[in-house]
Amino acid sequence: MTKTAWLFPGQGSQHPDMMADLLTAYPPAKERCEQAAAILGWSVIDCCAGRIGNLDQTLYTQPSLFLVESLLVDALKERGAKADFVAGHSLGEYVALYAAEVFDFATGLRLVQRRAELMNAAGGGKMVALIGFDREQLQGAIASTPNVVLANDNHPGQVVISGLPAAVDAVLGKIKVKRAVPLNVSGAFHSPFMAEAAATFATLLEECTFHEAIFPVLNNVEPEPTRDAAVLKARLRSQMTGSVRWVETCHALAAAGVTQALEIGPGNVLAGLVKRTTPEITVTSVGTIARLESLL
């Protein structure tokens, strides 16, 4: 029997038109956008239209993506779709937990809003995406350089390193890399340097009620499927300082028998990562209601 995973992209997949189809083709979207605006204090619709904020700024990106992806989840469920496993990349993990009914929309959005605020305020760090490198050489360079970590293990040929600027530059000086792309972020996300922000976030997290997941969830910091609410909360607590182990997530899904996946959200970033890591899993991107209806 075919097993299916639902995958949720994170920051970087956003674009100004990502709400357009939902607003015209999915009636519940308007009410959900109003609910989100009441929580956030600003409108995702207005942000996407360029009337307020900056969609590419962490503060606005993360809540906007959570709203869009959660609406697509609702539309899928209304049509009877189910997943065997769910997983999300960084921010996308929050949508995976929402899809698995670990928490409701309002709880998830409040968590994402606070996460975005803390990450937006972080400073003193640097992140660089590396494409085309010798993995053993990179691991050796990181091991011998204090204050830098492997933050995102995206696919065998693409990772992100994170840490203090001097340490990140030192690693780049020790390895050969086809391309190094500095990310437009202020902090060293997914590294121990987010510990203060993570501690502040943990206070809000502890106040939230988590329920047993209806679908097994693979977390970024521990890509082993679980439904256990306490385990899921503990893993989410570690996410801000821990690495996004996406390569291991892909292999875990393949080992569990997953042969097809839906990338639920804007763009097709995860489809590319999965294809390069586990080509036996076919990924279909679902970013609009029209696309969703063509599959069901």
Side-chain angles (χ1 to χ4, degrees):
M1 186 175 179
T2 300
K3 291 186 179 180
T4 301
W6 289 358
L7 308 178
F8 301 94
Q11 200 162 339
S13 59
Q14 71 277 1
H15 61 78
D17 295 326
M18 63 185 184
M19 280 295 308
D21 172 82
L22 286 162
L23 290 171
T24 58
Y26 188 51
K30 183 179 179 181
E31 183 178 350
R32 178 62 62 81
C33 286
E34 291 172 353
Q35 180 189 5
I39 293 170
L40 297 171
W42 52 271
S43 165
V44 171
I45 297 172
D46 287 343
C47 185
C48 288
R51 291 189 288 269
I52 63 167
N54 179 353
L55 183 60
D56 292 327
Q57 183 183 0
T58 297
L59 194 65
Y60 296 95
T61 309
Q62 296 188 12
S64 298
L65 282 172
F66 182 81
L67 173 60
V68 169
E69 294 177 22
S70 67
L71 283 168
L72 290 168
V73 166
D74 292 348
L76 278 165
K77 287 185 175 181
E78 285 176 9
R79 290 156 176 80
K82 295 181 179 180
D84 294 290
F85 300 94
V86 293
H89 191 285
S90 193
L91 164 72
E93 184 170 302
Y94 288 78
V95 193
L97 292 168
Y98 170 75
E101 300 181 14
V102 174
F103 46 62
D104 61 18
F105 172 77
T107 298
L109 185 62
R110 290 189 180 97
L111 286 171
V112 168
Q113 181 183 29
R114 187 63 178 136
R115 179 185 192 263
E117 291 170 349
L118 290 167
M119 292 178 75
N120 189 66
K126 183 174 183 177
M127 300 182 76
V128 177
L130 309 180
I131 302 167
F133 54 87
D134 181 280
R135 184 168 285 260
E136 187 174 336
Q137 183 188 47
L138 174 63
Q139 290 172 336
I142 291 174
S144 64
T145 309
N147 301 321
V148 62
V149 298
L150 182 66
N152 293 23
D153 192 7
N154 290 330
H155 72 71
Q158 199 259 308
V159 301
V160 175
I161 60 174
S162 178
L164 297 183
V168 171
D169 291 341
V171 167
L172 294 176
K174 294 177 181 179
I175 65 171
K176 292 181 180 179
V177 57
K178 184 176 180 180
R179 189 179 177 203
V181 183
L183 303 187
N184 185 25
V185 296
S186 59
F189 302 159
H190 295 294
S191 83
F193 295 101
M194 295 297 293
E196 185 176 344
T200 301
F201 182 72
T203 302
L204 174 60
L205 192 60
E206 287 307 311
E207 297 172 355
C208 297
T209 299
F210 276 40
H211 304 283
E212 181 176 349
I214 63 168
F215 310 132
V217 182
L218 287 81
N219 299 86
N220 290 175
V221 298
E222 186 57 61
E224 178 183 336
T226 184
R227 297 175 186 259
D228 187 277
V231 172
L232 290 168
K233 180 180 279 192
R235 290 177 178 176
L236 192 63
R237 189 184 301 116
S238 301
Q239 196 218 51
M240 201 176 287
T241 56
S243 298
V244 177
R245 297 162 60 183
W246 195 252
V247 168
E248 291 174 73
T249 298
C250 293
H251 286 304
L253 290 171
V258 171
T259 56
Q260 63 181 24
L262 300 181
E263 178 176 2
I264 302 169
N268 56 6
V269 172
L270 298 185
L273 300 185
V274 173
K275 182 178 180 180
R276 290 172 173 83
T277 306
T278 45
E280 62 269 35
I281 299 177
T282 301
V283 183
T284 302
S285 298
V286 182
T288 65
I289 296 297
R291 180 61 171 153
L292 182 155
E293 289 181 336
S294 73
L295 299 172
L296 300 176

